[in-house]
Amino acid sequence: DTAVSQTPKYLVTQMGNDKSIKCEQNLGHDTMYWYKQDSKKFLKIMFSYNNKELIINETVPNRFSPKSPDKAHLNLHINSLELGDSAVYFCASSQGLTAAYEQYFGPGTRLTVT
Amino acid sequence: ILNVEQSPQSLHVQEGDSTNFTCSFPSSNFYALHWYRWETAKSPEALFVMTLNGDEKKKGRISATLNTKEGYSYLYIKGSQPEDSATYLCASDSSGTYKYIFGTGTRLKVLA
């Protein structure tokens, strides 16, 4: 049973399109995150949600809109895709917001914008 | 230090060797330091969560220490095995904002 799952695993699309990436965790965690792995392999936080409430919005363009329909899901919708959006996007979850909790990562979604 | 920095960037060791690497982080307003192991084509897996100065944690042949006053953590691997080959990431929340800053990782290759 996969703890944190993401779909799709690969996404190839053209500039200007709108796409979504879905994330689900079956760990009963309260907190979920989206990270972007950039070209230099850095993992950078984009968003975090706690009990469906937005906690962190890390200066991400407003073309990126996270949606948390319930605690187990955090989806990422991207409008008007640009070449620079090409990256690997990781979803993660943790038991709670405090730093004492480790994060569990999904397998990543490789987005390629052509 | 404003960011989380890891060194070395990469290293190769022979099977059976012991090795260690460093994570440096902002020491003011420290909350927690996480270590993750990231194998190629997989997702990061948590190794340790450390919160107290002087903390030492151990999991099998891997251990870590934490110095929050000077802002560094060491990860040690004793008797490295080829399956230890991975990127080891540290992440710090040094602001209490629940925002983890990740280092760029240390890429370890253990040669058989």
Side-chain angles (χ1 to χ4, degrees), chain A residues 18-61:
Chain A
D18 303 339
K19 290 293 177 187
S20 292
I21 306 172
K22 295 186 176 181
C23 178
E24 177 181 3
Q25 53 95 3
N26 62 7
L27 297 166
H29 287 171
D30 287 341
T31 310
M32 296 184 74
Y33 310 82
W34 276 111
Y35 287 90
K36 180 181 180 181
Q37 184 188 15
D38 64 19
S39 56
K40 295 184 178 178
K41 307 296 183 188
F42 273 106
L43 269 180
K44 290 187 177 176
I45 185 129
M46 300 173 68
F47 300 103
S48 75
Y49 270 73
N50 188 61
N51 282 317
K52 303 195 298 175
E53 180 186 347
L54 178 66
I55 302 298
I56 293 173
N57 181 341
E58 189 57 17
T59 59
V60 177

Side-chain angles (χ1 to χ4, degrees), chain A:
Chain A
D1 236 6
T2 305
V4 183
S5 58
Q6 293 179 230
T7 52
K9 193 167 183 180
Y10 300 97
L11 183 53
V12 181
T13 188
Q14 291 185 326
M15 283 175 55
N17 284 349
D18 303 339
K19 290 293 177 187
S20 292
I21 306 172
K22 295 186 176 181
C23 178
E24 177 181 3
Q25 53 95 3
N26 62 7
L27 297 166
H29 287 171
D30 287 341
T31 310
M32 296 184 74
Y33 310 82
W34 276 111
Y35 287 90
K36 180 181 180 181
Q37 184 188 15
D38 64 19
S39 56
K40 295 184 178 178
K41 307 296 183 188
F42 273 106
L43 269 180
K44 290 187 177 176
I45 185 129
M46 300 173 68
F47 300 103
S48 75
Y49 270 73
N50 188 61
N51 282 317
K52 303 195 298 175
E53 180 186 347
L54 178 66
I55 302 298
I56 293 173
N57 181 341
E58 189 57 17
T59 59
V60 177
N62 57 16
R63 297 182 295 103
F64 290 78
S65 52
K67 291 235 177 359
S68 182
D70 54 59
K71 281 197 324 182
H73 296 84
L74 180 61
N75 304 322
L76 184 65
H77 189 75
I78 315 170
N79 289 327
S80 304
L81 278 154
E82 300 177 358
L83 291 176
D85 297 332
S86 295
V88 182
Y89 293 85
F90 285 93
C91 175
S93 73
S94 64
Q95 194 172 336
L97 264 181
T98 72
Y101 296 119
E102 61 196 13
Q103 295 185 32
Y104 292 76
F105 285 82
T109 295
R110 182 175 293 277
L111 170 65
T112 304
V113 183
T114 61

Side-chain angles (χ1 to χ4, degrees), chain B residues 7-66:
Chain B
S7 63
Q9 198 169 25
S10 65
L11 76 161
H12 291 72
V13 300
Q14 292 292 328
E15 182 177 0
D17 286 352
S18 294
T19 187
N20 65 84
F21 10 100
T22 306
C23 172
S24 302
F25 53 86
S27 55
S28 58
N29 297 319
F30 173 83
Y31 278 77
L33 190 284
H34 293 202
W35 279 103
Y36 292 87
R37 181 172 178 273
W38 194 356
E39 287 183 72
T40 303
K42 294 188 178 180
S43 47
E45 289 184 359
L47 286 172
F48 305 114
V49 176
M50 309 176 81
T51 55
L52 298 175
N53 185 44
D55 249 357
E56 290 189 31
K57 298 227 171 170
K58 187 174 180 183
K59 187 181 287 190
R61 294 178 290 99
I62 304 177
S63 59
T65 60
L66 180 67

